[in-house]
Amino acid sequence: MRLFVALSLPEDVRERLDMLDSGLPGARWVAAENLHLTLRFLGEVDSAQARDLDDTLSAIDAPGFALTLQGLATFGDGAKVRALYADVAPNPALLHLQAKVESAVARAGLPLERRKFKPHVTLARFKGDPGPKLGHYLGQHGLLRIGPFPVDHFLLYSSLLGAEGPHYTEEVVYDLERVGVV
Ligand code: 2AM
């Protein structure tokens, strides 16, 4: 199965992000129910590895925290823009959790990620060059700020790729320690 570890987003946060989905030619918008913050993409994992991963993820002991989405940005630019994302306000607790997820992945014997973690919520991917509208769009929505909202769990998702786009299933929910954050 194709797996990834991510934070889900509260429904009201997803609804607010979903309202941003117009005015960009060439954009393929992520469906509201699919909006999430990836902590670690794993790709194809066999069932024995998935069980090992579930064991090591279950052993993670990390505090809950508050998350704020702040600003919009793109991966790639100009004609090479690949994705539009909501950025995340600096968040040491999120980085701490992601580092724990990374070592859980290593303990499960899965390959390490070489790329540095860049927290983001992908809003759209591009199948064509949005041209000058992208600058206008970022000017219009760039001051986006949503939150802080509480994060008290993370999840293991499976992903099925279909013609209509991916379908994500919540496989396991892992609770974080309760602390009075928001
Ligand atoms: P993205 O939002 O930046 O595209 C499920 O596919 C999640 O895993 C997506 O949020 C995606 O991040 C992330 N991901 C990271 N590396 C990936 C890869 N090589 N292929 C597909 N998804 C990847």
Side-chain angles (χ1 to χ4, degrees):
M1 59 206 318
R2 191 177 159 90
L3 297 177
F4 63 100
V5 180
L7 301 181
S8 59
L9 299 171
E11 192 176 353
D12 57 326
V13 172
R14 285 188 280 112
E15 279 170 4
R16 280 188 62 189
L17 291 172
D18 195 43
M19 291 189 310
L20 298 168
D21 72 347
S22 59
L24 267 186
R28 273 192 324 232
W29 296 94
V30 175
E33 67 268 21
N34 280 352
L35 292 165
H36 62 272
L37 190 160
T38 302
L39 296 171
R40 179 59 144 81
F41 177 74
L42 297 147
E44 276 306 318
V45 169
D46 68 32
S47 50
Q49 284 174 319
R51 274 195 298 276
D52 289 347
L53 179 64
D54 176 39
D55 285 345
T56 59
L57 290 174
S58 302
I60 288 181
D61 208 2
F65 53 89
L67 190 72
T68 299
L69 302 180
Q70 188 173 282
L72 291 180
T74 61
F75 289 126
D77 51 19
K80 292 203 173 139
V81 64
R82 297 188 308 277
L84 169 76
Y85 64 88
D87 213 341
V88 177
N91 192 323
L94 171 63
L95 299 185
H96 175 76
L97 173 62
Q98 199 277 335
K100 290 211 160 185
V101 168
E102 193 60 47
S103 41
V105 169
R107 275 202 303 285
L110 292 159
L112 286 180
E113 175 61 80
R114 286 172 202 284
R115 284 180 305 179
K116 191 174 182 315
F117 175 56
K118 165 66 190 147
H120 67 278
V121 177
T122 298
L123 303 179
R125 298 183 176 83
F126 290 92
K127 56 177 191 245
D129 178 1
K133 289 239 162 111
L134 178 60
H136 294 147
Y137 182 92
L138 292 174
Q140 225 177 348
H141 300 293
L143 294 178
L144 169 92
R145 188 179 163 93
I146 303 178
F149 54 88
V151 175
D152 59 13
H153 64 279
F154 65 99
L155 301 105
L156 181 62
Y157 286 93
S158 63
S159 161
L160 278 180
L161 302 177
E164 309 276 303
H167 181 79
Y168 301 144
T169 303
E170 296 184 1
E171 298 288 343
V172 192
V173 176
Y174 304 96
D175 287 329
L176 297 169
E177 286 159 35
R178 289 190 177 275
V179 278
V181 282
V182 187

